[in-house]
Amino acid sequence: MKKKIILLASLTVILLLSGCWDVSEPQRMYYVHGVGIDIKDNQYEVYLQLINYADVAKSETANPGAPKAEVGHAKGKTMEEAIYKLYNSIDLEVFWGHMSYLILSEEALKSDHVISIFDSFIRFRETRYQIYVHCTQEPLEEILLVTPTLDKSITSSKLSNPLNTGSQEVSIEPVNFRNLILALNEPSHEVKLPLISINKNWRDSEEESLPETHLEGIGILSNDGFKGIMKGDATRGTQWMQKQTSRGDLTFILDSSKKDYLTVDLEKHKLEVKPIVKKNEVQFEINIHVDATINGFKGDITSDQIRKGISKKVKEEIKTTYEEGLKIDSDIYRLSEYVYRYNVKAWKKVEEGGKVPLTKDSISNINVHVNKINPGRKTFEETIKK
């Protein structure tokens, strides 16, 4: 009886151990952190960023001189062929489960195969729907080699974790694979991808210029192809028309004769878009509710002046971005989706190719409500008149 028990116990241990024989040890693997895709001369160019997790974990045994990341590059007739070429030049097994972001060149966005690029990553069993997607007009290798300021972990970069600064500003809403699928599958079948560039606004104590990634604008992609790129002030209206905005900055003129400007923080942002259907025409009424915080100003000022200045400037930015979107045939604020959600019968009557036809007059009214004005420190309360 004892022999049978010992035999059964031995078999159980062997079976349990056998389940781990094909598992690779963490230190014997390379980890993909970011991927860049370009298409030139009908060939895919893949840039693979491998991360050093010893730096991320801040291990006591980590090599301080070791690079935070390395970037490999290969070409192929398909994206998969280029990736397998990279496998041939790598010493250890590659793990994709920690991939954090994908960045596409403008040429890749213009390609007829851009949707298939997304499809390949979504189908692969190791990748996740939380991977962020960006686009750029800069050389991909340069962007993938940029490291965060003050020698922070590379996992803190805005490419892999764009929500790090979400409490201060979300002027351009991040997009992951889940958001991308929903945006392309539902009206208006477009997605706004953050446009990444490199700037050199920072220097260290040795007076060396430090490159840093920068959100420059958006690239607009639809199921029918690439729409175009919008940069700078042309995109500022998007922050007031997205529900994720928690805080944004606004600079407006107080007195045109003196050219005095005021910068305020707008918080507790609430957005309401109401479709108004009249026969075969749809217009939209937009209501925005915000709280304002005064950062600093010169001279006396009234709360009414602040409210009027905020309202006027927000309206201008919304209209400017909307009209810039129309120039490239883009429903930049996804107004078609509001009709689809709230009045699908009307949407079926007016839609053309999954979109509601839009003109400059489609936005009938914009109402900006400044609920509360926070003057900041009490020292300045006397200069704000009710």
Side-chain angles (χ1 to χ4, degrees), residues 314-328:
V314 170
K315 288 179 183 179
E316 286 178 2
E317 291 186 349
I318 290 173
K319 288 180 180 178
T320 298
T321 301
Y322 174 71
E323 291 175 5
E324 289 295 320
L326 290 181
K327 291 178 183 178
I328 56 174

Side-chain angles (χ1 to χ4, degrees), residues 3-118:
K3 290 181 178 180
K4 288 183 179 180
I5 293 172
I6 293 171
L7 181 61
L8 286 171
S10 300
L11 288 171
T12 302
V13 171
I14 291 170
L15 288 171
L16 289 173
L17 288 173
S18 65
C20 300
W21 285 348
D22 61 344
V23 175
S24 299
E25 297 178 36
Q27 68 271 23
R28 295 184 179 275
M29 300 177 73
Y30 286 134
Y31 296 89
V32 175
H33 185 242
V35 176
I37 305 290
D38 194 4
I39 297 178
K40 291 180 180 177
D41 302 324
N42 294 321
Q43 279 201 319
Y44 287 82
E45 297 195 15
V46 176
Y47 296 83
L48 206 64
Q49 183 191 58
L50 301 180
I51 191 171
N52 180 4
Y53 267 98
D55 173 73
V56 176
K58 301 297 181 184
S59 169
E60 292 180 2
T61 58
N63 181 2
K68 292 184 177 182
E70 292 186 3
V71 176
H73 170 236
K75 299 179 182 180
K77 292 181 286 294
T78 67
M79 183 178 70
E80 290 76 15
E81 182 185 36
I83 291 173
Y84 273 94
K85 285 182 179 179
L86 285 170
Y87 286 163
N88 292 333
S89 61
I90 293 176
D91 301 316
L92 302 175
E93 181 182 346
V94 175
F95 181 66
W96 292 79
H98 293 313
M99 179 179 168
S100 296
Y101 68 90
L102 169 68
I103 184 164
L104 302 175
S105 70
E106 185 176 5
E107 292 303 315
L109 288 177
K110 291 177 180 178
S111 168
D112 294 336
H113 305 294
V114 62
I115 302 299
S116 67
I117 292 174
F118 301 136

Side-chain angles (χ1 to χ4, degrees), residues 355-370:
K355 290 172 56 178
V356 172
L358 299 173
T359 67
K360 287 185 178 181
D361 299 322
S362 294
I363 296 179
S364 60
N365 199 16
I366 303 173
N367 301 306
V368 180
H369 308 275
V370 183

